[in-house]
């Protein structure tokens, strides 16, 4: 029997318990033996919930139980998750997680511990001593995080094991279900941002603190993880330019619709002329992109490889059961490889990212005033550009620039005080 412990009985944790109970027989058949939830750790009590039978409040109970083979960390946040996961790995227990904040910040180090390649980690060696590191090395275990990006969509495992023939030069995705749900509803129903955010929270898509979703921080961590795996070197999420959707208005949506386009929060990393850039921002996407019709809570990850060409991974990107599906998929994989490290390493060498100011896009720029009266001023700054007006958005119009670097755009925009806002077109 494989004994597992689930850390956290929130949306995803309760989903993991539900998935394991619902598909108990088929999961056991795939593993080749029974998978049993021995403990669920949470600070809270859940009177009347059958989980009470296995509920514990003290992590030491789990870490000191030699029967526990797999720890499922679905607590979210960096601490105490980091301390708990590290202790579990050092105790020789496999770990499966949905926690992108933790994977983006400490994923490489935790994978190294699982693999037993951790002697370069001075802090860890100082705190736990070489004997503990030796234990991890002898155990040869796994730290799996399929659910950390794209909810239920398989993308980490394909990057690890299927797309290994390719040099990947682009990975771009709609990686946050909450914001995709909000943007889709705002555009389709002329709906108000706050009202739609509330709905997304009620449906269990949003993070505890919705700032992580709407400011793009969640997508930023996910693209850092995916880029690190795709490009082989470590991408520091703190270096990724990140802009959220809080400034997107119903008027922006009307311009997008008039252009036959949609606005998506896109997380992109690309290799261009041997340089890499990564950014998260709302962009206008046309019908020529497969990302155009990815709506509601769905996520999609577009990958371009030098021999593969294009591939897109699409599916349920957030929510209790889709996320739990990915976590339990990892549990099954871990259970089949209890003492064999099957995840490739995440190189510690840092990937240098291009200065965002060099990245080139066309822009949609909204300008206050009447088109005829502003024509000369606009031409003096941007040259000959296309303009667009939307009948029920009064007192303004918009221009479509040619491809400009961020630095060029900023320099031009500084000369035209009538600019209301700008949105990039997908490059
Ligand atoms: N808040 C996240 C989202 C959950 O909306 O995509 C899944 O990571």
């Amino acid at each position: 029997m494989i004994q597992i412990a689930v850390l956290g009985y929130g949306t995803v944790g309760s989903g993991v318990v539900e998935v394991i109970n619902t598909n108990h027989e088929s999961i056991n058949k795939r593993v080749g033996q029974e998978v049993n939830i021995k403990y669920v750790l949470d600070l809270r009590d859940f009177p009347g919930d059958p989980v009470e039978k296995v509920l514990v409040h003290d992590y030491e109970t789990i870490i000191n139980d030699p029967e526990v083979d797999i720890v499922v960390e679905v607590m979210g946040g960096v601490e105490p998750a980091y301390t708990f996961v590290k202790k579990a790995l050092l105790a020789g227990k496999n770990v499966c997680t949905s926690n992108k904040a933790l994977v983006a910040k400490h994923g490489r180090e935790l994978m190294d511990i699982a693999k037993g390649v951790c002697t370069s980690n001075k802090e860890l060696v100082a705190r736990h001593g070489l004997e503990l590191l030796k234990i991890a090395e002898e155990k040869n275990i796994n730290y799996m995080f399929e659910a950390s990006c794209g909810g239920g969509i398989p993308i980490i495992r394909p990057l690890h094991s299927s797309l290994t023939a390719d040099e990947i030069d682009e990975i771009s995705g709609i990686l946050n279900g909450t914001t995709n749900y909000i943007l889709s509803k705002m555009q389709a129903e002329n709906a108000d941002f706050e009202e739609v955010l509330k709905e997304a929270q009620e449906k269990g898509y949003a993070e505890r603190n919705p700032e992580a979703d709407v400011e793009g921080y969640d997508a930023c961590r996910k693209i850092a993880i995916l880029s690190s795996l795709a490009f082989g070197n470590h991408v520091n999420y703190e270096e990724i330019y990140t802009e959220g959707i809080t400034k997107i208005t119903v008027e922006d949506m009307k311009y997008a619709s008039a252009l036959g386009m949609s606005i998506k929060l896109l997380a992109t990393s690309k290799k261009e002329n041997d340089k890499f850039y990564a950014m998260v921002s709302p962009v206008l996407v046309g019908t020529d992109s497969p990302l155009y019709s990815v709506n509601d809570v769905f996520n999609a990850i577009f990958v371009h490889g030098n021999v593969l060409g294009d591939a897109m991974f699409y599916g349920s990107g957030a929510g209790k059961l889709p996320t739990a599906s990915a976590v339990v998929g990892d549990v099954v994989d871990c259970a089949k490889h209890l003492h064999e490290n099957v995840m490739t390493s995440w190189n510690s060498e840092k990937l240098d990212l291009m200065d965002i100011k060099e990245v080139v896009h066309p822009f949609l720029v909204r300008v206050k005033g009447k088109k005829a009266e502003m024509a000369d001023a606009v031409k003096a700054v941007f040259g000959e550009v296309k303009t667009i007006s939307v009948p029920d958005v009064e007192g303004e119009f918009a221009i479509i620039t040619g491809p400009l670097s961020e630095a060029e755009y900023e320099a031009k925009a500084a000369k035209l005080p009538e600019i209301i806002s700008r949105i990039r077109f997908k490059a």
Side-chain angles (χ1 to χ4, degrees), residues 12 98 100 147-151 175-181 200 204-209 212-213 218-219 222 297 299 317-319 323:
V12 183
S98 60
K100 54 262 164 170
S148 67
C149 300
L175 293 174
N176 184 268
T178 304
T179 47
N180 204 41
Y181 182 82
Y205 304 150
E207 297 300 301
R208 254 175 300 178
N209 173 5
D213 295 302
D218 179 74
K222 290 170 178 168
V297 72
N299 281 194
T323 311

Side-chain angles (χ1 to χ4, degrees), residues 157-200:
R157 201 164 273 101
L159 286 175
H160 266 301
S161 39
S162 312
L163 299 174
T164 45
D166 271 75
E167 295 279 338
I168 292 172
D169 49 35
E170 177 177 355
I171 180 152
S172 289
I174 295 171
L175 293 174
N176 184 268
T178 304
T179 47
N180 204 41
Y181 182 82
I182 294 173
L183 293 172
S184 305
K185 284 240 163 188
M186 282 178 76
Q187 186 155 10
E189 298 170 15
N190 278 337
D192 175 69
F193 174 83
E194 295 294 339
E195 183 192 318
V196 190
L197 170 61
K198 212 163 141 255
E199 266 177 56

